[in-house]
């Protein structure tokens, strides 16, 4: 018999439990176990006045932001609507059934004020990372580093000539932040090259065509991860050029050492981190094995002998050419010691002009030069160490593990939908990258530490 609802009078009282209506397997339940905001109030207390009306609870705003970044809700207007309607989000935000959702403008006001002044989002990221370490998910043996381009909230059609610079009447929060970071090695001082275009809306964003298609304005998000479980150990926002990414890697490694006592045995990265200076910094200053391809442009394309065809003698400090002749830094003794290192950190080893002139291999070695010269970096020892590591089985494993950081970037853009920034300026990029990395670590905790896992292990 077909049932039919009757038009009975609505009940005067309801027994409704929000706790029972949130599914046990919902993601908000999984991540809620690892969200500890007990220290938020103490951290923010110096930035609130002792008088006046009570403000919106900062814990509520942080929980709402975590919902937005964990579930890929990019708009704060839409986030407020979703939290208002979704029972699971209400449960996570501790709003109950009748709790009032704050207006979207509240987030902007707090973000540009006390949240940034107190570096709250950095504090939140480190709190979640500390929980990952406490749960045993960070081994601290092998780290991987990489950077990924994220489009800035800036129109490529409205860029202005970089040589002309910004107009005197250009104003706005993003412009002020750009002027404030002109001397920052991660932004304005990362390179002396003048950008081709500047965005009046976000001058700190870098014009780049690195993807091979249409150029666009972008920032770089830099991740340092532990390869055991792909936990993000640190995150840094920089301008979208290689020099800034290398600087970010150094900052993140030193910060993980200072704040969390994490001293990795090896670092994995691509050739962007294979410069002589970076390899020497890893090997000589921190004793970290560089599982990184060496950035080397010494190979010749004209068919003549490259530097690898010359054998270096560490004891005698000289090179031997394929013809058996010696290339030395000095051909005679000087009363005053001379510095043979050029401004770029290279030493020159030269063959004798008489040896090269009578050599049968001259046409294959130096057809256009009287003697052959070979350059050697002052950090060549670290480069040789990286080359030796590249010939081992451990390096093959490292190449495979390094892909985990690329998978995190794919997750960031496709699942969390952070393929384009919503906030402008260096501070906006930092805020978004810190929140996204926090959300990824929370989701990783929820996946690797399911409810009841400890009890089942015991």
């Amino acid at each position: 018999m077909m049932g039919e609802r009757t038009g009975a009078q609505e009940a005067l009282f309801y027994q409704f439990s929000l706790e029972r209506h949130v599914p046990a397997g919902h993601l908000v339940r999984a991540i809620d176990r690892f969200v500890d905001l007990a220290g938020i109030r103490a951290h923010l207390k110096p930035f609130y006045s002792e008088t006046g009306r009570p403000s919106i609870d900062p814990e509520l705003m942080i929980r709402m932001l975590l919902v937005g970044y964990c579930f890929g809700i990019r708009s704060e207007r839409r986030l407020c609507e979703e939290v208002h309607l979704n029972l699971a989000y209400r449960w996570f935000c501790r709003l109950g059934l009748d709790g009032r959702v704050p207006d979207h403008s509240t987030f902007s006001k707090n973000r540009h004020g006390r949240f940034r002044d107190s570096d709250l989002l950095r504090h939140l990221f480190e709190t979640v990372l500390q929980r990952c370490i406490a749960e045993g998910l960070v081994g601290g043996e092998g780290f991987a580093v990489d950077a990924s381009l994220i489009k800035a909230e800036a129109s490529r059609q409205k860029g202005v000539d970089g040589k002309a610079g910004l107009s005197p009447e250009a104003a706005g929060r993003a412009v002020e932040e750009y002027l404030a970071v002109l001397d920052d090695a991660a932004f304005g001082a990362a390179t002396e090259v003048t950008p081709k275009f500047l965005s009046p809306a976000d001058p700190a964003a870098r014009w780049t065509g690195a993807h091979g298609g249409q150029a666009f304005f972008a920032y770089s998000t830099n991740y340092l991860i532990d390869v055991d479980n792909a936990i993000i150990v640190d995150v840094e926002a920089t301008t979208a050029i290689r020099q800034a990414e290398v600087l970010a890697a150094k900052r993140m490694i030193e910060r993980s050492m200072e704040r969390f006592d994490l001293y990795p045995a090896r670092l994995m990265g691509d050739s962007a981190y294979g410069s002589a200076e970076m390899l020497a910094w890893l090997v000589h200053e921190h004793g970290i094995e560089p599982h990184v391809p060496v950035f080397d442009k010494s190979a010749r394309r004209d068919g003549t002998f490259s530097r690898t065809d010359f054998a270096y003698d560490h004891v005698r400090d000289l090179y031997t050419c394929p013809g058996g002749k010696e290339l030395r830094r000095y051909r005679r003794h000087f009363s005053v010691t001379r510095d043979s290192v050029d401004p770029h950190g290279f030493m020159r080893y030269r063959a004798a002009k008489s040896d090269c002139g009578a050599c049968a291999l001259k046409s294959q070695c130096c057809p256009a030069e009287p003697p052959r010269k070979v350059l050697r970096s002052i950090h060549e020892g670290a480069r040789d160490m990286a080359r030796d590591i590249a010939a081992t089985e451990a390096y093959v494993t490292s190449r495979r593990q390094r892909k985990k950081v690329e998978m995190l970037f794919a997750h960031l853009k496709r699942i969390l939908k952070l393929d384009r920034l919503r906030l402008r300026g260096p501070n906006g990029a930092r805020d978004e990258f810190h929140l996204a990395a926090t959300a990824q670590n929370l989701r990783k905790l929820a996946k690797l530490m399911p409810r009841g896992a400890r009890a089942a292990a015991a």
Side-chain angles (χ1 to χ4, degrees):
M1 183 175 63
M2 182 181 296
E4 180 182 1
R5 289 189 301 168
T6 61
Q9 183 179 0
E10 294 184 0
L12 295 176
F13 301 98
Y14 290 92
Q15 290 184 349
F16 185 89
S17 173
L18 189 58
E19 178 73 26
R20 290 201 309 267
H21 279 72
V22 179
H26 200 289
L27 181 59
V28 294
R29 283 195 181 274
I31 67 175
D32 183 65
R33 296 176 294 130
F34 305 106
V35 176
D36 181 11
L37 303 180
I40 291 292
R41 294 180 179 279
H43 186 81
L44 287 174
K45 186 175 181 180
F47 300 89
Y48 279 90
S49 173
E50 297 293 337
T51 61
R53 294 187 304 168
S55 68
I56 302 294
D57 187 358
E59 180 177 342
L60 169 60
M61 287 187 284
I62 292 299
R63 284 184 174 273
M64 288 181 65
L65 287 173
L66 289 177
V67 166
Y69 279 83
C70 282
F71 292 94
I73 304 173
R74 301 291 295 129
S75 167
E76 287 173 357
R77 288 177 182 266
R78 180 167 167 252
L79 174 62
C80 292
E81 295 173 359
E82 291 290 335
V83 172
H84 176 72
L85 295 173
N86 193 299
L87 294 180
Y89 298 166
R90 278 186 166 272
W91 176 86
F92 180 79
C93 295
R94 308 293 191 265
L95 280 172
L97 282 176
D98 56 352
R100 182 176 178 274
V101 177
D103 188 76
H104 66 88
S105 62
T106 306
F107 293 97
S108 178
K109 182 175 179 61
N110 282 275
R111 181 191 304 113
H112 296 305
R114 55 181 66 93
F115 282 8
R116 285 182 183 170
D117 294 341
S118 64
D119 206 8
L120 177 65
L121 301 182
R122 178 73 200 182
H123 173 76
L124 176 66
F125 169 78
E126 293 185 350
T127 300
V128 174
L129 174 60
Q130 189 64 58
R131 182 62 183 271
C132 294
I133 297 173
E135 295 290 348
L137 300 182
V138 178
E141 289 294 323
F143 282 0
V145 64
D146 205 355
S148 183
L149 295 179
I150 305 293
K151 291 182 179 180
E153 179 60 20
S155 172
R156 61 185 305 275
Q157 285 82 16
K158 296 182 179 180
V160 298
D161 188 354
K163 294 182 179 179
L166 296 175
S167 61
E169 62 270 12
R173 185 178 287 109
V175 175
E176 293 175 2
E177 292 180 11
Y178 165 70
L179 297 175
V181 298
L182 281 178
D183 296 329
D184 191 336
F187 290 98
T191 176
E192 297 179 356
V193 177
T194 302
K196 186 175 182 179
F197 293 107
L198 279 177
S199 169
D202 191 353
R206 190 80 179 187
W207 179 258
T208 177
H211 285 171
Q214 286 187 331
F216 55 92
F217 292 105
Y219 286 93
S220 282
T221 177
N222 299 265
Y223 276 5
L224 179 69
I225 73 163
D226 183 272
V227 296
D228 284 355
N229 293 294
I231 298 295
I232 303 171
V233 176
D234 210 335
V235 58
E236 184 87 0
T238 64
T239 190
I241 60 172
R242 178 182 295 176
Q243 298 93 315
E245 293 169 4
V246 173
L247 172 69
K250 293 180 179 180
R251 284 182 177 178
M252 292 188 294
I253 292 170
E254 290 181 336
R255 195 157 48 204
S256 64
M257 292 177 176
E258 295 171 1
R259 300 190 182 184
F260 300 100
D261 201 27
L262 296 174
Y263 293 85
R266 62 189 186 279
L267 179 74
M268 305 154 213
D270 57 25
S271 59
Y273 306 94
S275 64
E277 295 80 6
M278 180 65 181
L279 295 174
W281 183 85
L282 290 171
V283 174
H284 300 310
E285 294 192 29
H286 296 288
I288 300 174
E289 292 183 2
H291 289 235
V292 178
V294 177
F295 186 76
D296 191 356
K297 290 188 175 182
S298 63
R300 293 191 172 187
R301 300 180 180 179
D302 58 359
T304 59
F305 294 135
S306 298
R307 193 188 63 181
T308 54
D309 298 314
F310 294 74
Y312 180 70
D313 187 334
H314 289 270
V315 177
R316 301 170 63 196
D317 188 26
L318 56 82
Y319 278 95
T320 304
C321 74
K325 303 301 181 180
E326 296 178 350
L327 286 78
R328 299 175 177 272
R329 280 198 286 168
Y330 304 108
R331 286 288 168 181
R332 61 188 178 89
H333 295 288
F334 297 94
S335 57
V336 179
T337 303
R338 295 189 175 186
D339 186 7
S340 60
V341 181
D342 67 14
H344 302 288
F346 285 96
M347 300 173 289
R348 284 173 169 77
Y349 293 75
R350 294 178 175 85
K353 185 176 180 180
S354 57
D355 290 339
C356 290
C359 182
L361 300 175
K362 180 173 174 59
S363 61
Q364 295 177 262
C365 185
C366 54
E369 300 176 1
R372 176 61 190 263
K373 295 180 292 185
V374 171
L375 298 180
R376 181 179 177 83
S377 170
I378 58 175
H379 306 304
E380 199 65 31
R383 286 156 60 93
D384 288 340
M385 180 179 180
R387 293 188 184 102
D388 293 341
I389 292 174
T392 64
E393 288 295 328
Y395 183 81
V396 177
T397 303
S398 297
R399 292 291 87 196
R400 184 173 62 253
Q401 292 177 326
R402 193 187 69 82
K403 294 180 181 179
K404 293 182 179 181
V405 67
E406 296 175 356
M407 294 171 64
L408 281 171
F409 288 139
H411 179 269
L412 175 71
K413 295 177 182 180
R414 297 191 178 189
I415 306 302
L416 302 190
K417 306 201 183 327
L418 188 58
D419 56 345
R420 184 185 181 95
L421 292 174
R422 188 177 51 80
L423 306 180
R424 292 175 176 172
N427 288 332
R430 290 191 188 103
D431 291 349
E432 293 223 57
F433 295 160
H434 276 111
L435 279 168
T438 302
Q440 287 183 291
N441 278 349
L442 283 172
R443 290 175 66 112
K444 183 69 71 172
L445 275 167
K447 178 181 178 181
L448 299 179
M449 304 295 296
R451 186 181 298 275
R454 287 183 173 178

